[in-house]
């Protein structure tokens, strides 16, 4: 039960809180127009006459990607279409397997951006890759480089090499041949314990990551 | 002495004083507006010229008042990601209720690495009853054909997307952009310029469209047979795009990057490009390089319509006046 001694104190609390809220609102009101008109990134540029670095331009319509997995003495094309087929056959199963490994399909539950957004993780089965391919050599490198040139000319497909630590030695001659031919390609190192992650989502357009 | 003798000449004296004041006001007003009349004399007194000059002067007075911040594309949408490759990536929540099967088809097309399979997955969706799905399917076909370098098929699909009725104007920006890009790749610059103007009008926060328009306008300005008014409009749009791009990308270093790219050409083709490069360096903070570019602009005269060139050179002279210090507009 409230006493007479407590009432002034309660009023004082309410008044203090109201004052604090008013103070915060005033601060926001002062800060908001500045933020709106100038933007968070509108810091004045500092004078600079030093070395220039021209950032690479993001390509408006990049080529299509085909992934190759590089292990020690092995180069295998990733059967991406097998994942597409598995998902088409069982659309409500969010994980599955192909002859090259297992995948985890992560569609966003709410479509807040584009309708085709998704993320996919793929764990390669190393033993399966080794058993399904033959040892790699100079001849295979030459043949691959020729095939890649044809893919690029016919369907504008460019290779993406996923290179495991033990595959670096195998990848070096491929890299050199592609460089010498002026063939377009990308390559990434891949930790053995981590899955390949591909997808389409908004964060790709807020970082400098989408350069082909 | 009759007091009326004193009162009679007083009225004309007051009237004269009043008239003198009015005249002074008129003369002061005329003296305040020599630029507009001089500008009209430069471009010719047509409706087109008047509109171009009004927009040009409005741009510079905005710049004088607010600096480069005046060129920020206005938006109340905090969800904008200007680099998104579709309007649905650039802005949040443009989709309503979605059919799961259609969504999966779009996702599988995005996942697939085979262009033929992508096309096969998307094509049936162009017959969807939902206009938004139909629009997105046509747009995706256009994007896929463009990636395959089949420009004619890309244009047909983009036109089909634009033909889908009753959609918000903003959605049309990507289809216009594909039309512009295809025209640019095939060296049809007039078509590219018109399509880019439409794309940017539909979505002023579209970074790629503004970036491509800079390229298109720089080349358009270098071509003969343009009126002074068109030349001035193109230069103004280049300034607007230059000012907007770094804000959209949230990366102020783009001023220097853009200036570097245009300055890389062996010889600067015309004074408009010198102005753009100079402003790029100036807004990046490199006032010394800006000064060098702008000081040399006079030597490039004779490449653009005379009136347009004179107006641009006047602004360049203004920028070279010593009153401006770093950080002050424009």
């Amino acid at each position: 039960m409230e006493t007479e001694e407590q009432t002034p104190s309660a009023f004082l609390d309410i008044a203090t809180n109201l004052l604090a809220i008013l103070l915060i609102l005033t601060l926001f009101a002062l800060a908001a127009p500045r933020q709106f008109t100038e933007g968070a990134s509108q810091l004045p540029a500092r004078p600079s006459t030093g070395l220039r670095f021209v950032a690479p331009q993001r390509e408006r319509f990049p080529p299509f990607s085909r992934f190759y997995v590089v292990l020690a003495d092995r180069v295998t094309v990733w059967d991406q279409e097998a994942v597409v087929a598995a998902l088409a056959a069982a659309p409500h199963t969010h994980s599955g397997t192909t002859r090259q490994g297992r995948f985890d399909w992560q569609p966003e539950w709410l479509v807040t951006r584009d309708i085709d957004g998704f993320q996919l993780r793929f764990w390669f089965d190393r033993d399966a890759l080794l058993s399904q391919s033959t040892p790699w050599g100079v001849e295979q490198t030459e043949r691959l480089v020729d095939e890649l040139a044809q893919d690029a000319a016919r369907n504008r497909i460019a290779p993406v090499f996923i290179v495991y630590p033990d595959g670096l030695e195998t990848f070096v001659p491929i890299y050199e041949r592609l460089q010498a031919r002026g063939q377009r390609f990308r390559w990434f190192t891949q930790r053995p314990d981590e899955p390949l992650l591909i997808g389409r989502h908004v964060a790709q357009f807020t970082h400098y990551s989408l350069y082909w | 002495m009759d007091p009326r003798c004193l009162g009679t000449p007083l009225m004309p004296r007051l009237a004269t004083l009043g008239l003198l004041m009015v005249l002074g006001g008129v003369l002061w007003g005329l003296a305040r507006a020599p630029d507009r009349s001089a500008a009209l004399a430069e471009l010719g007194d047509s409706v087109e010229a008047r509109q171009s000059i009004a927009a040009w002067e409005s741009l510079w007075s905005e710049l004088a008042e607010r600096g480069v911040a005046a060129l920020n594309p206005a938006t109340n949408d905090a969800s904008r990601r200007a680099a998104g490759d579709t309007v649905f990536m650039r802005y949040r929540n443009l989709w309503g209720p979605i059919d799961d099967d259609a969504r999966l088809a779009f996702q599988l097309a995005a996942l697939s690495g085979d262009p033929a399979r992508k096309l096969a997955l998307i094509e049936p969706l162009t017959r969807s009853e939902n206009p938004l799905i139909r629009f997105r399917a046509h747009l995706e076909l256009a994007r896929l054909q463009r990636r395959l370098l089949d420009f004619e098929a890309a244009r047909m699909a983009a036109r089909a997307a634009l033909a889908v009725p009753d959609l918000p104007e903003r959605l049309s920006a990507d289809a216009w952009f594909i039309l512009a890009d295809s025209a640019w790749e095939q060296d049809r610059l007039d078509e590219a310029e018109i399509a880019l103007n439409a794309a940017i009008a539909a979505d002023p926060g579209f970074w790629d469209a503004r970036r491509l328009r800079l390229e298109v306008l720089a080349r358009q300005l270098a071509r003969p047979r343009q009126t002074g008014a068109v030349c001035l409009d193109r230069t103004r749009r280049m300034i607007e795009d230059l000012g907007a791009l770094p804000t959209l990308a949230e990366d102020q270093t783009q001023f220097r990057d853009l200036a570097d790219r245009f300055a890389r050409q062996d010889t600067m083709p015309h004074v408009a490009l010198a102005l753009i490069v100079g402003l790029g360096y100036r807004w990046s903070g490199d006032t010394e390089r800006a000064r060098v570019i702008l000081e040399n602009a006079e030597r490039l005269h004779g490449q653009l319509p005379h009136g347009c060139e004179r107006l641009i050179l006047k602004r360049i002279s203004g920028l070279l006046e010593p009153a401006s210090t770093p950080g002050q507009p424009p």
Side-chain angles (χ1 to χ4, degrees):
Chain A
M1 191 176 165
E2 197 176 81
T3 63
E4 281 187 17
E5 288 77 19
Q6 283 172 324
T7 310
S9 168
F11 272 113
L12 206 60
D13 278 347
I14 291 167
T16 313
N17 286 334
L18 279 173
L19 201 63
I21 290 166
L22 269 174
L23 194 65
I24 291 165
L25 286 175
T26 310
L27 281 172
F28 273 109
L30 286 171
R34 188 176 177 81
Q35 178 82 4
F36 181 75
T37 52
E38 296 186 4
S41 63
Q42 295 301 303
L43 298 172
R46 276 178 289 180
S48 161
T49 51
L51 288 173
R52 285 180 285 174
F53 171 71
V54 177
Q57 275 190 279
R58 187 167 51 82
E59 190 165 350
R60 293 189 290 271
F61 298 99
F64 300 97
S65 301
R66 181 172 292 157
F67 293 82
Y68 292 80
V69 185
V70 185
L71 303 170
D73 289 328
R74 295 286 198 283
V75 180
T76 309
V77 65
W78 177 36
D79 190 357
Q80 204 171 334
E81 301 314 305
V83 182
V84 176
L87 283 167
H92 301 295
T93 309
H94 287 169
S95 59
T97 58
T98 72
R99 63 188 176 87
Q100 292 179 319
R102 64 188 172 88
F103 65 84
D104 182 17
W105 173 248
Q106 299 174 325
E108 289 176 31
W109 291 111
L110 292 172
V111 181
T112 57
R113 294 283 176 173
D114 210 347
I115 193 170
D116 56 356
F118 74 93
Q119 291 196 57
L120 180 105
R121 293 171 197 275
F122 195 93
W123 286 266
F124 285 103
D125 180 342
R126 189 180 178 84
D127 293 336
L129 291 179
L130 290 172
S131 67
Q132 291 163 15
S133 57
T134 54
W136 196 257
V138 178
E139 279 181 27
Q140 283 89 342
T141 298
E142 290 305 314
R143 201 180 308 141
L144 176 67
V145 171
D146 288 339
E147 284 172 8
L148 293 179
Q150 289 172 11
D151 281 343
R154 279 187 206 140
N155 290 319
R156 207 166 167 240
I157 293 174
V160 182
F161 294 95
I162 305 300
V163 184
Y164 281 82
D166 65 342
L168 275 171
E169 290 282 331
T170 307
F171 182 60
V172 169
I174 299 172
Y175 176 96
E176 288 174 344
R177 289 292 296 123
L178 290 171
Q179 284 279 34
R181 294 265 297 248
Q183 171 76 43
R184 199 170 186 190
F185 68 101
R186 291 189 298 181
W187 71 283
F188 299 92
T189 53
Q190 178 77 29
R191 287 172 60 131
D193 54 341
E194 287 184 355
L196 172 67
L197 173 64
I198 65 169
R200 172 170 164 76
H201 48 95
V202 70
Q204 291 167 326
F205 303 102
T206 53
H207 300 83
Y208 287 105
S209 58
L210 263 193
Y211 295 115
W212 225 116
Chain B
M1 198 174 182
D2 188 351
R4 282 176 298 178
C5 294
L6 289 172
T8 310
L10 188 62
M11 286 304 288
R13 277 180 200 159
L14 283 174
T16 309
L17 195 65
L19 279 172
L20 276 172
M21 286 174 73
V22 170
L23 186 65
V26 169
L27 286 173
W28 181 79
L30 285 172
R32 290 270 299 169
D35 288 343
R36 179 69 65 91
S37 54
L40 278 172
E42 300 280 11
L43 286 197
D45 192 2
S46 65
V47 174
E48 188 191 25
R50 281 177 186 278
Q51 286 172 347
S52 296
I53 290 164
W56 175 254
E57 288 181 357
S58 166
L59 170 76
W60 284 96
S61 60
E62 282 280 302
L63 283 172
E65 194 178 321
R66 295 172 54 206
V68 71
L71 303 178
N72 295 353
T75 180
N76 295 322
D77 195 337
S79 74
R80 184 180 64 199
R81 298 290 179 270
D85 60 354
T86 63
V87 70
F88 304 98
M89 276 295 180
R90 288 195 293 282
Y91 299 93
R92 192 182 290 139
N93 296 334
L94 295 183
W95 290 98
I98 291 171
D99 172 52
D100 282 345
D101 292 340
R103 185 184 178 200
L104 183 69
F106 276 113
Q107 287 174 315
L108 295 182
L111 168 64
S112 172
D114 178 3
R117 185 169 205 152
K118 284 173 182 281
L119 291 169
L121 281 162
I122 296 295
E123 203 277 332
L125 298 169
T126 60
R127 294 182 291 278
S128 168
E129 287 182 6
N130 181 338
L132 201 53
I133 295 284
R134 213 158 65 236
F135 168 82
R136 184 67 183 89
H138 282 301
L139 182 66
E140 192 58 28
L141 285 185
R143 285 161 42 80
L144 289 169
Q145 297 291 7
R146 168 59 186 87
R147 289 175 73 185
L148 285 166
L149 306 181
D150 187 342
F151 298 111
E152 197 48 46
R155 289 170 61 198
M156 282 175 61
R159 287 202 189 100
L162 287 172
V164 176
D166 303 327
L167 292 177
E169 189 198 1
R170 184 187 272 183
L171 301 194
S172 67
D174 295 297
W176 283 116
F177 181 67
I178 286 170
L179 290 176
D181 176 87
S182 300
W184 164 253
E185 292 292 335
Q186 296 178 309
D187 214 28
R188 296 196 307 271
L189 297 183
D190 289 337
E191 200 178 316
E193 183 181 352
I194 291 166
L196 284 169
N197 289 344
I200 294 166
D203 179 10
F206 193 171
W207 191 94
D208 282 306
R210 286 188 181 271
R211 180 67 186 85
L212 181 59
R213 191 167 72 170
L214 266 183
E215 301 283 349
V216 171
L217 292 177
R219 278 190 55 198
Q220 284 282 64
L221 279 163
R223 297 167 90 193
R225 291 189 300 278
Q226 63 187 321
T227 65
V230 169
C231 164
L232 203 62
D233 277 342
R234 285 173 172 159
T235 309
R236 173 177 55 79
R237 288 201 179 98
M238 283 191 81
I239 295 171
E240 287 170 353
D241 291 341
L242 173 71
L245 286 169
T247 304
L248 291 173
E250 298 188 1
D251 175 12
Q252 296 298 295
T253 65
Q254 286 197 357
F255 280 130
R256 190 187 185 95
D257 192 42
L258 291 165
D260 278 347
R261 283 185 193 279
F262 283 110
R264 195 186 283 170
Q265 302 176 35
D266 293 337
T267 51
M268 200 77 71
H270 46 72
V271 294
L273 202 59
L275 174 62
I276 297 301
V277 173
L279 284 173
Y281 283 131
R282 188 184 181 93
W283 288 336
S284 78
D286 191 346
T287 49
E288 182 53 28
R289 206 180 295 268
R291 188 185 57 75
V292 171
I293 295 285
L294 295 173
E295 277 179 352
N296 288 313
E298 182 79 41
R299 297 177 194 171
L300 305 171
H301 73 87
Q303 305 303 315
L304 299 179
H306 178 72
C308 173
E309 207 164 59
R310 294 303 308 159
L311 290 171
I312 293 170
L313 285 169
K314 270 183 198 170
R315 290 297 173 185
I316 289 177
S317 301
L319 291 170
L320 287 169
E321 283 170 8
S324 297
T325 54
Q328 280 189 334

